[in-house]
Each structure stands twice: as C-alpha cells, then as structure tokens.
Amino acid sequence: MVQDGGPISTIDALAGVKTLSVTAGDAPKGWRTCIHPEGDTYFCHDEKRIVTTSDPRDQSILESLLKSHDQLKRLLYATARDLLSHSELYLNVGRESSGDIPVHYYWADHLTSQIFWCEDVPCAALGFPDFGSRGEIKSRLTPEYWTHVEYFPVHLPVKPESEDEIIGIFRHGCIDDKTSPGSTFPFSEAESLQYLRVLEGFKSTLSSAGIIQGYRNAVIARLWNAIARARHINRYGLDSPRLDRLQGLALFTESQMKDSKILRVAELLCGGLSRVVFVRLTSMWNGRVVYQRHWQAFFQDMRGDWAQVASAVRFLAGLLRAGVKDADGDGMGSTVLLASGVTSLPVLASIAFSGASVFISSALCHRHRTETLATGPDVSKYIMSVENYYHGLRPLSIVYVIPHALTVYSAISFTAAVLLLAFQRAKNVKDIVSAVASLSIAVLPIIGTLAYFNVNLFSLLSVISGVFQPFKGLAKIWEKNKAQNNDRKMD
C-alpha cells in the first residue's frame, strides 16, 4: 500500500475506484472538500458556516480556524445575532513562519447579498476611496459579495430570486442596448442573448443540486458581479445617477478645447481628419467609464485603417510606375519623373511621406495589439496614460490620423510631380490643356474620394486601384502627341 504525500511509483490495484476524491487525504470531521468548476479546492463546514482556502487537514491551521470562528461568532452574536442564521464566515489563515499567525476574515450575508465585518474597518485598508454615503458603501460591497459566491460556488445554492433577477436584467439590457445610443448597460445585445441562453439553460435544468450546482452558481455570480460593478460606477439607486452614457458629453468636449496654437496647426495639417476621431474618442471616454464593446470596435476600425495604409501606398506606387519611362527606350534607364530635376523633389517627397505613413501605421498597430487591450481595465489604464491633462484626447486623435494625413500628402506630392512634368514637356497651349484635363479626370476623383470618406478611406483603395491602370500608358500618350507636333512642324 502506498501512502499519499511522497512520490508514487506504483499504481495500486483499483486505486482510481477506491479514491473518492482527487484531493489528498480526508477532511476532518464536519468539513467538506469542494472543487471549484475551474479546478481550485476549498473547504467548508456546513454546521459552523465556514468557508476557507486554508487546509484544515493541517492541525495548526484547523485550530486557528476554529478558534477564530468562535471569537467572531461571539462578537457577532453580541452585536447582530439575527445575521448568524443567513451569513457565512470566510477565514484565511496567514502563512507567517514566526510569531502569531494572523487570520483574515469577512462575513457574507446571503440574504442581503452583502459582505460585512464585526468591527470598523478603514476604507484605505481595503483599497477603497472615502465614500459620500452609506448607500455608496452598500453599492461598492455588493460586487464583493458576488466575488465571494463566484469563488465559493459549490456548497450553497444561489437564491432563486437572484437567478430570476439576473435573467430580467439581461432581457432589459438587450432592449436598452438596441434602442438607446447612450445605454449604460455593460453588454451588447449579442452578448446579452448569449448569456441569456446559458442562464435560461441552467434554469430549465430540473435539479439545482449535485454537481451542476457549482457551475450554475459560478455563472450567475460572475454575471451578477459585472452588473453590480457597472451599477456602482453609474450610481444605480443613488443620488445623481448616470442614466445615459452620453450624459455631460458637451461639457466634457468643451473641457478639452483649450486654446493651443500647436494643436490647431497639427489639426489643420491633418486636414480635419483628427476631429472625426476626437469626437468618437470623446463620446466613448465620457465620464471616464470604459464600455469594452465600444472601444474594441473602435480599435478594430483603427487597426484596419492603419493596416490598409499599405494598400494606399501600393496604390500610389502603381501611379508612380505609370510615370516610368526609359529615357533611352531600352527598359533599363531611370524614370522620367526622377530624371527631371524639376519633378525630382516632389517625387522624393511622395516617397518619403509614403514610407513614413507605413512606418507610423505599423508602430500604431503594434502598440494597439488586441492582446494588449483585451479587457476593460487594459483600455482604461491605456487611455488614462495617454490622456493629456490640459487637452484631453485631442493630441491622441491627431496621432491616430498621422498615417492617413501622410498618405494624402504623398498623393498630393505625386500629383504635383506629374503636373510639373506635364507642363515641362508640353510644347504648346493645346498640350498643356490636354495634360491638365487628363490629369484632372484621373487624379481629382482620388482626392475627392479621400476627402469624402475621411478616416475610413483606405478600405476603398484596393477596390478602385484597378480603375487607374490606364495611367501606365500616360507617358506613351504624351510621347505620341509630341511626335505628332514635331511632324506638323516639319510639314
């Protein structure tokens, strides 16, 4: 027979059948070993109404647990004995190697869905700010109760009324999110419907006891936790509640519009593109509350735009190749645009703008990777770190559209190079008019499209790039016109 506690090199006959639990050793009398749906182990004492993650199979820990329970029970009995019938005590024995062993605790009241202590506790000791009222304290402690239930879901069922209420909350949230642009509900309609299917699936199960109870309680508690935290942020049931996500948006926008010559010039250079992003950022960060679904959609759009800057650059490169013309006709010479001194500067500027836009967009995509901004706290921490004290999100909105602006400047520089080349090579007024007309027909729609679609313009470039294939023959047309003019002069 091999005892637990050391390496086991031999599997006993019928070992798996005879082992009632995967945990090592039996819990002391009166204690139960519970396994969380995610695999963690905790212990409960049904009669004494204790839950703990400390191992009562260790005699010293067991003695600390029982001694602390007796002391705290006497203290609660003396102050609010009625709470004992529907509250349980969480205990955690410290692991200090010397001196007195501390035991941390709180009570969880299953009737009022609150946690509490038998003595006054400073807010700072719990990591809480000072509160303005007792209602705020209750609002803040409600999510902590549901965290307790989520961590210890196996030994007791959730109240049926709590299960019914969370289902009602998500049903209402579906309609609220669908019909109100400023909905404060923390989940989208699609997410709510998914959660409702799970909740109603559990509710339709005939028995809430046994192995399914832990899974059911953990799901209900986790969703209640999210709802309770959102309600606390929005001051649900308190004075001056936040009823709409866009509440106070005008004042928040105005607070970020302090005069700055640098920002005004930067916004002007961005051609107004930053204003579109600024409005969207401000509406999402209003009240400094992160609704993850809105931010994830925003970052997905921005990442798509930054990634498609490469498409715009490839498009401009195609236009540049349209101007390729070997000076000697052997296919190995330099381009007409670069060979001409008057056009070399705007062409080089176009190349520089394109390269910078690709580099900056790549850096922005890397900084805003999905895995680094996967949760609401991630997004909140990031936005607070980049928000300017005086100008809010205006500088950030400018940074986000720099790749777009540089790509537009690249297109303008290339257009200027082609215009200069057309005027340089034209021999008479007719050639000039013809060159300008051809260029206007081909290039101005591009500029108009860029201006019209603002931030989301680059998704169109891969589609419309095929329209501009005739540019490849533009140099040949000019050469043909030149030859015809020379023939007329000879005649």
Side-chain angles (χ1 to χ4, degrees):
M1 182 70 179
V2 181
Q3 298 293 328
D4 289 342
I8 300 175
S9 58
T10 304
I11 300 176
D12 294 345
L14 305 179
V17 177
K18 292 187 296 183
T19 303
L20 299 180
S21 173
V22 296
T23 57
D26 296 328
K29 184 179 179 180
W31 291 85
R32 278 198 295 144
T33 302
C34 302
I35 301 178
H36 190 279
E38 295 180 4
D40 198 12
T41 300
Y42 73 92
F43 303 89
C44 71
H45 195 296
D46 294 324
E47 182 181 352
K48 296 182 180 296
R49 303 180 72 86
I50 302 173
V51 291
T52 181
T53 52
S54 302
D55 193 343
R57 293 170 296 191
D58 184 308
Q59 187 61 33
S60 62
I61 292 179
L62 177 61
E63 292 174 359
S64 297
L65 291 173
L66 295 178
K67 179 180 178 181
S68 299
H69 167 265
D70 293 341
Q71 292 175 348
L72 292 168
K73 182 178 179 180
R74 285 195 297 269
L75 186 58
L76 184 60
Y77 185 85
T79 55
R81 68 182 65 180
D82 57 307
L83 295 177
L84 287 170
S85 62
H86 43 77
S87 299
E88 67 181 5
L89 177 63
Y90 167 77
L91 296 171
N92 180 45
V93 180
R95 300 185 179 184
E96 281 73 1
S97 57
S98 60
D100 294 336
I101 299 177
V103 179
H104 306 282
Y105 85 97
Y106 61 78
W107 292 90
D109 183 4
H110 295 298
L111 183 63
T112 60
S113 302
Q114 289 287 298
I115 64 170
F116 64 93
W117 295 266
C118 296
E119 55 201 328
D120 295 342
V121 180
C123 293
L126 301 173
F128 294 159
D130 293 341
F131 295 102
S133 66
R134 294 188 180 277
E136 290 183 14
I137 297 176
K138 181 179 177 67
S139 174
R140 182 62 184 86
L141 293 180
T142 300
E144 304 303 325
Y145 166 80
W146 288 110
T147 298
H148 168 82
V149 177
E150 182 184 353
Y151 285 0
F152 308 104
V154 177
H155 63 290
L156 286 176
V158 171
K159 293 183 301 182
E161 50 266 35
S162 295
E163 184 176 17
D164 292 338
E165 185 176 0
I166 194 67
I167 291 175
I169 289 171
F170 274 93
R171 286 174 174 170
H172 174 267
C174 287
I175 302 302
D176 192 40
D177 179 69
K178 198 67 175 176
T179 59
S180 174
S183 171
T184 60
F185 194 67
F187 299 102
S188 67
E189 178 210 10
E191 291 172 321
S192 298
L193 290 173
Q194 290 176 340
Y195 296 147
L196 275 172
R197 283 195 292 269
V198 175
L199 290 169
E200 291 170 347
F202 275 125
K203 190 171 178 62
S204 65
T205 304
L206 295 177
S207 175
S208 62
I211 191 171
I212 197 175
Q213 176 175 282
Y215 299 99
R216 183 179 195 168
N217 294 349
V219 167
I220 294 172
R222 181 171 297 186
L223 294 177
W224 254 118
N225 192 350
I227 294 299
R229 292 186 187 279
R231 286 183 168 185
H232 175 68
I233 291 172
N234 293 315
R235 299 185 58 81
Y236 177 88
L238 301 174
D239 294 335
S240 304
R242 187 169 180 262
L243 303 178
D244 192 289
R245 186 174 57 85
L246 304 178
Q247 183 174 317
L249 179 59
L251 292 176
F252 182 48
T253 302
E254 184 179 353
S255 69
Q256 303 176 79
M257 301 306 294
K258 296 180 177 65
D259 185 55
S260 170
K261 293 181 179 179
I262 295 177
L263 289 182
R264 278 189 294 169
V265 171
E267 290 171 341
L268 180 64
L269 291 175
C270 289
L273 298 178
S274 62
R275 287 302 181 95
V276 178
V277 177
F278 172 71
V279 169
R280 190 173 176 185
L281 281 171
T282 301
S283 66
M284 292 188 299
W285 188 235
N286 184 42
R288 290 178 170 78
V289 179
V290 168
Y291 287 82
Q292 187 175 347
R293 65 185 187 277
H294 300 142
W295 284 94
Q296 294 302 335
F298 169 76
F299 284 129
Q300 184 177 355
D301 290 343
M302 295 307 301
R303 281 190 291 265
D305 284 347
W306 295 327
Q308 291 180 24
V309 163
S311 299
V313 171
R314 286 196 300 269
F315 174 74
L316 291 172
L319 292 180
L320 185 61
R321 286 196 301 271
V324 170
K325 178 68 178 178
D326 180 60
D328 301 325
D330 58 3
M332 300 297 292
S334 60
T335 68
V336 171
L337 293 177
L338 289 176
S340 175
V342 72
T343 61
S344 60
L345 183 60
V347 170
L348 291 175
S350 178
I351 295 173
F353 285 136
S354 297
S357 67
V358 171
F359 176 80
I360 296 174
S361 62
S362 299
L364 288 171
C365 284
H366 178 76
R367 178 63 183 85
H368 298 81
R369 301 187 308 276
T370 303
E371 58 270 22
T372 62
L373 298 169
T375 66
D378 291 338
V379 175
S380 180
K381 181 180 179 180
Y382 165 70
I383 296 299
M384 286 190 291
S385 69
V386 297
E387 184 181 19
N388 185 272
Y389 182 79
Y390 294 103
H391 305 290
L393 300 173
R394 284 176 69 194
L396 182 64
S397 65
I398 293 171
V399 171
Y400 281 173
V401 301
I402 286 176
H404 308 74
L406 289 175
T407 306
V408 172
Y409 286 137
S410 178
I412 293 173
S413 299
F414 172 77
T415 303
V418 176
L419 278 173
L420 288 173
L421 179 64
F423 280 101
Q424 181 187 25
R425 302 184 66 186
K427 299 301 182 180
N428 52 47
V429 176
K430 183 178 179 181
D431 290 343
I432 295 176
V433 173
S434 176
V436 171
S438 299
L439 187 64
S440 300
I441 293 172
V443 176
L444 290 183
I446 305 174
I447 306 296
T449 302
L450 298 180
Y452 180 80
F453 286 97
N454 288 331
V455 177
N456 294 319
L457 52 94
F458 295 112
S459 60
L460 298 176
L461 291 179
S462 60
V463 177
I464 65 175
S465 59
V467 175
F468 300 94
Q469 294 298 321
F471 267 100
K472 293 182 178 180
L474 187 57
K476 292 183 178 180
I477 295 174
W478 288 338
E479 288 293 326
K480 183 178 180 180
N481 289 336
K482 181 180 178 181
Q484 291 176 350
N485 290 333
N486 290 335
D487 290 342
R488 293 193 193 100
K489 291 179 180 179
M490 291 177 64
D491 294 340

